[in-house]
Amino acid sequence: MTETQRATRSRTFEWADPAETAARLGRSPGLEMLQAMRDGELPAPPILRLIGGTGFEVEEGKVTVLMPAAEFHYNPLGTVHGGVIATLLDTAAGCTVHSTLPAGVGYTSLDLMTRFIKPVTVDSGLLRCEGGIVSRGRRTAVAEAHLYDERGRLLAHATSTCLIFEIPQT
């Protein structure tokens, strides 16, 4: 059987225009923005829809991202691709920093140090990626994120440094 004759799977997803969320950046505190996304008042970022994220929990200084491990995340080795895992870790760490920012202040990731502990497969079930603040100053923040499987086993962890900056108001 050739590649085109093999049975294939299909996946379709939708996302909202991210401009609505971007327009609100800097106008409200980060925690308020994230709560509005969680509650469906603002659309979730397109990246969460792309990777199949099913939701998140948020409080100041702590964000948890949820995503079931799926076959479409797989690399050629039959495990969830490290880039998908890194995306979850980066999202939880970055949003954790965002949750601490007042109106008029933004952030961007400067680095992400990632450690993969155990393979992730569909048998891992619902993945839970928990972010927390390590240190937050005026110009930088350090956050960490831990990825757990459905049974609570640590699969990966990361540390991220984020640059904090004023958002120019137009």
Side-chain angles (χ1 to χ4, degrees):
M1 211 182 253
T2 67
E3 183 65 32
T4 55
Q5 293 172 321
R6 289 190 179 121
T8 60
R9 292 163 173 82
S10 174
R11 179 171 175 262
T12 304
F13 66 97
E14 297 174 348
W15 66 94
D17 182 351
E20 180 183 350
T21 303
R24 194 160 158 184
L25 268 176
R27 301 191 194 296
S28 57
L31 180 60
E32 228 176 75
M33 268 191 82
L34 292 166
Q35 288 170 331
M37 283 185 236
R38 175 200 64 202
D39 297 342
E41 297 163 13
L42 273 178
I47 188 66
L48 276 183
R49 302 298 298 261
L50 176 66
I51 65 172
T54 55
F56 60 96
E57 301 161 6
V58 60
E59 59 187 71
E60 186 169 352
K62 184 178 180 187
V63 171
T64 300
V65 181
L66 305 169
M67 182 192 84
E71 188 180 71
F72 66 85
H73 296 131
Y74 275 18
N75 61 28
L77 304 174
T79 60
V80 172
H81 190 281
V84 173
I85 294 168
T87 299
L88 279 172
L89 293 163
D90 182 57
T91 301
C95 287
T96 293
V97 170
H98 193 185
S99 75
T100 69
L101 301 179
V105 178
Y107 77 97
T108 190
S109 298
L110 291 173
D111 63 28
L112 182 71
M113 268 187 356
T114 305
R115 295 283 184 255
F116 303 105
I117 309 296
K118 293 182 179 184
V120 181
T121 67
V122 294
D123 293 335
S124 301
L126 182 65
L127 303 178
R128 182 176 187 81
C129 192
E130 300 176 356
I133 294 291
V134 174
S135 169
R136 185 178 171 302
R138 287 180 338 129
R139 293 281 184 210
T140 60
V142 177
E144 60 186 3
H146 296 86
L147 180 66
Y148 300 96
D149 69 8
E150 201 166 87
R151 292 173 284 297
R153 293 181 298 193
L154 181 65
L155 303 172
H157 65 91
T159 304
S160 176
T161 306
C162 293
L163 176 66
I164 298 171
F165 54 88
E166 210 171 292
I167 299 174
Q169 296 300 314
T170 56

